[in-house]
Amino acid sequence: MRINGFDYQQVPVADGVTLNTAVGGSGPPVVLLHGFPQTHLMWRHVAADLAADHTVICPDLRGYGASSKPAGTDAYAKRVMAADVVALASALGHDRFALAGHDRGALVAFRAGLDHPAAVTHLASLDVLPTLDMWDVMRGTTAAIGFHLYLMAQPPGLPETMIGASPDAFFGYFLDLWARDPAAIPGAVREAYLAACRDAVPSIVADYRASAGVDVDHDRADRAAGATLRMPVSVLQQDWGAALGFDAAALWRDWAPDLEHTTVTCGHFMAEEAPTEVVRAIRALLTR
């Protein structure tokens, strides 16, 4: 499936790595990064709206969808994936761009903002905490909500075997559990997500495994150095803090001094369940 009215191309971003990318509209560039267990298609409503006055760039992250899937955990460090995004924008003629990410894509966007502040003008994050904070708040029996994080953090072999034995059941579980409005992900879109994940089990696991290792190391180093996001940041989240006992806005503010934090009443897949609200937040961010 494709986003209507968008052109598609495979863009080289690193040695042996190309990103399947949808590009539409004209005007100031905005890059949109998808989450798990999805592809760039999750942005179909938001992208169509923003394309009225922006150049909208929607890639499949490395390891996902129709993008390259290199082997090895280090290939999925968010620092590496963030460099992909900067290289992608540059290849398309944009040295500076706004960046929005959901879930896994938001972690890539976060790292891009820290590593490439001269390139990222504005940053929006949808329904995630920075990696270091995520692990810190996951404790006790409430951490069971994130069982997949611990499963895919295990050494190579067992997670891939278990998930690969029944990928539709595994990935479909999250599509069903996390959507407050199931109609927001129609059957054809759901099948497109499942098919993409079915073909990417090792790389998706590697992405998560990186977040239990190298990504934590990078976040710790930045925290120790006092690094923060220098650009305006907008965060949209469900109220996970009420269930897990943390103040999401406070955690984000430690990283983002210029922060607008909004609690959204919808499921996890907010770009599909509440696209009007997401577009409004992104447009407001771009005026700051």
Side-chain angles (χ1 to χ4, degrees), residues 5-18:
F6 276 54
D7 296 324
Y8 279 73
Q9 54 187 297
Q10 288 283 341
V11 182
V13 294
D15 288 344
V17 177
T18 63

Side-chain angles (χ1 to χ4, degrees), residues 1-11 20-33 39-60 88 92 94 279 282-283:
M1 296 184 67
R2 296 188 167 205
I3 301 177
N4 290 336
F6 276 54
D7 296 324
Y8 279 73
Q9 54 187 297
Q10 288 283 341
V11 182
N20 177 54
T21 305
V23 182
S26 62
V30 180
V31 179
L32 306 177
L33 305 179
T39 68
H40 76 281
L41 192 61
M42 62 153 282
W43 292 108
R44 59 196 180 278
H45 305 306
V46 172
D49 189 308
L50 293 176
D53 49 8
H54 290 80
T55 298
V56 182
I57 302 167
C58 301
D60 289 334
L88 171 67
L92 295 174
H94 308 290
V279 168
I282 292 175
R283 288 191 177 278

